[in-house]
Amino acid sequence: RFQGLAAGQWLWVPRAVERLHLEIENASLGGWWWGGARGVELSRAGAGSSSKVLEVTAPDPFALVFVPAIEGGRLSVIEGVEPMPLAGPPSVIPDEGAVSWRDRGRPPAALEGVEQTMRRLRAQGYL
């Protein structure tokens, strides 16, 4: 059961995107990802910068990435095609290009939607 969820930036990167390399403003090095990929790496953008650099290589079948980012969370593409910004999690699993959405965080009592999404992904064979 989820205990709460931090604010941050979500990215869904499907197999069709071979490589995505971007910078996320005001992010932290925590975070996590699900799915499969040759590589998912989060690193500091540079000395004194509050931005982090995310690189996703060869997702298979996808990489779902969460990067904590309390303020901002704006994405800047370094290499690859810019993810399509969404207002919230996609209602249909993306398979052509990457998508992103910002989450303001949730207390434990508000996570039913996250659990429903995880059940749907399991039922569809993604998890």
Side-chain angles (χ1 to χ4, degrees), residues 36-108:
R38 185 178 318 134
V40 175
E41 185 176 338
L42 183 66
S43 58
R44 295 184 193 284
S49 175
S50 63
S51 295
K52 304 302 176 272
V53 174
L54 174 68
E55 185 171 359
V56 179
T57 308
D60 186 18
F62 69 90
L64 175 61
V65 182
F66 175 76
V67 178
I70 300 202
E71 295 293 328
R74 188 171 63 86
L75 303 176
S76 301
V77 175
I78 297 169
E79 182 181 334
V81 176
E82 183 172 350
M84 177 187 293
L86 302 176
S91 57
V92 176
I93 298 197
D95 58 3
E96 298 284 320
V99 298
S100 66
W101 65 97
R102 175 110 177 93
D103 196 318
R104 292 182 298 218
R106 290 180 174 61

